[in-house]
Amino acid sequence: MLKKCLDVIFASFLMPFCILLYLFIGIGIKLTSPGPVIYWSNRIGKNGKNFMMPKFRTMIVGTPNIASHKLTKSENYVTDFGRFLRLSSLDELPQIYSILIGDMSIVGPRPALFNQSDLIELRKKKGVDILVPGITGWAQVNGRDDISIKKKVALDLEYLKHQSLLFDLKILAMTFWKVIIRKGVSH
């Protein structure tokens, strides 16, 4: 309950500061590629519940609805401005909305796409599916796009067993650093 309260307080505090940034990013997306500014992705949340997660659109309209690492030549689908948004992780900012409505947390396992059955099943098997998904997480700061699903779930399980306010703060600090050095982003 404390974590949820802190999430909402933090997200509420952040939202006014992000409004101008949202505007500039939205203009950048509109000027560089046709289509909507926000992409709503069908994701799996706590206890296997589906929810729609917003992201700034980084790919061309019509891109297949699969994990980007499974796309052949994913670089052909990512827009030029989208590449910048992904490398800087600014594409994740709209997820503050998901925190405010309770679908996500600041820290937790990244939510699986609805069609990532291997990840969803392994999380369920290991009991990780009871966690609220996060904008960042222990697996994110320990490899992000560069680790296997098995390793990702092992890190998610480690987070489940050791979660605390101090652990969350460590993950946030590591996230900030990884975003600055752009480590672990492959597409």
Side-chain angles (χ1 to χ4, degrees), residues 48-178:
K49 177 187 163 213
N50 281 55
F51 73 99
M52 297 304 287
M53 183 186 81
K55 293 181 84 166
F56 283 119
R57 184 176 55 81
T58 60
M59 299 183 125
I60 60 172
V61 174
T63 299
N65 197 6
I66 59 174
S68 53
H69 69 275
K70 290 186 176 181
L71 284 170
T72 50
K73 297 190 178 189
S74 63
E75 65 276 1
N76 292 341
Y77 295 99
V78 179
T79 66
D80 290 336
F81 191 63
R83 193 166 288 106
F84 161 73
L85 292 175
R86 283 173 169 238
L87 286 172
S88 63
S89 295
L90 290 171
D91 61 322
E92 310 289 352
L93 281 178
Q95 292 162 41
I96 292 171
Y97 167 78
S98 296
I99 292 170
L100 290 173
I101 65 169
D103 286 338
M104 292 181 71
S105 179
I106 294 167
V107 178
R110 284 296 294 160
L113 284 164
F114 74 98
N115 57 5
Q116 286 181 293
S117 54
D118 48 353
L119 177 58
I120 295 163
E121 288 305 313
L122 190 53
R123 281 181 171 168
K124 188 174 183 177
K125 181 180 175 184
K126 298 290 185 179
V128 176
D129 61 325
I130 66 167
L131 291 169
V132 175
I135 291 178
T136 188
W138 191 229
Q140 284 291 100
V141 297
N142 283 290
R144 196 171 175 171
D145 295 335
D146 296 332
I147 59 175
S148 68
I149 286 175
K150 190 175 180 180
K151 176 71 173 168
K152 195 175 287 190
V153 174
L155 289 164
D156 292 341
L157 184 58
E158 189 177 332
Y159 176 73
L160 174 65
K161 291 178 179 176
H162 299 33
Q163 63 181 320
S164 68
L165 180 59
L166 284 178
F167 196 19
D168 282 3
L169 292 173
K170 176 181 178 177
I171 292 168
L172 285 172
M174 289 176 72
T175 299
F176 182 70
W177 177 247
K178 298 279 181 165

Side-chain angles (χ1 to χ4, degrees), residues 10-31 36-38 40 53-57 81 84-85 89-100 104 135:
F10 185 72
S12 298
F13 174 77
L14 247 162
M15 191 59 91
F17 294 103
C18 290
I19 299 286
L20 194 56
L21 189 55
Y22 285 2
L23 180 64
F24 286 125
I25 291 171
I27 291 169
I29 291 169
K30 280 304 211 182
L31 290 176
V37 170
I38 300 290
W40 291 89
M53 183 186 81
K55 293 181 84 166
F56 283 119
R57 184 176 55 81
F81 191 63
F84 161 73
L85 292 175
S89 295
L90 290 171
D91 61 322
E92 310 289 352
L93 281 178
Q95 292 162 41
I96 292 171
Y97 167 78
S98 296
I99 292 170
L100 290 173
M104 292 181 71
I135 291 178

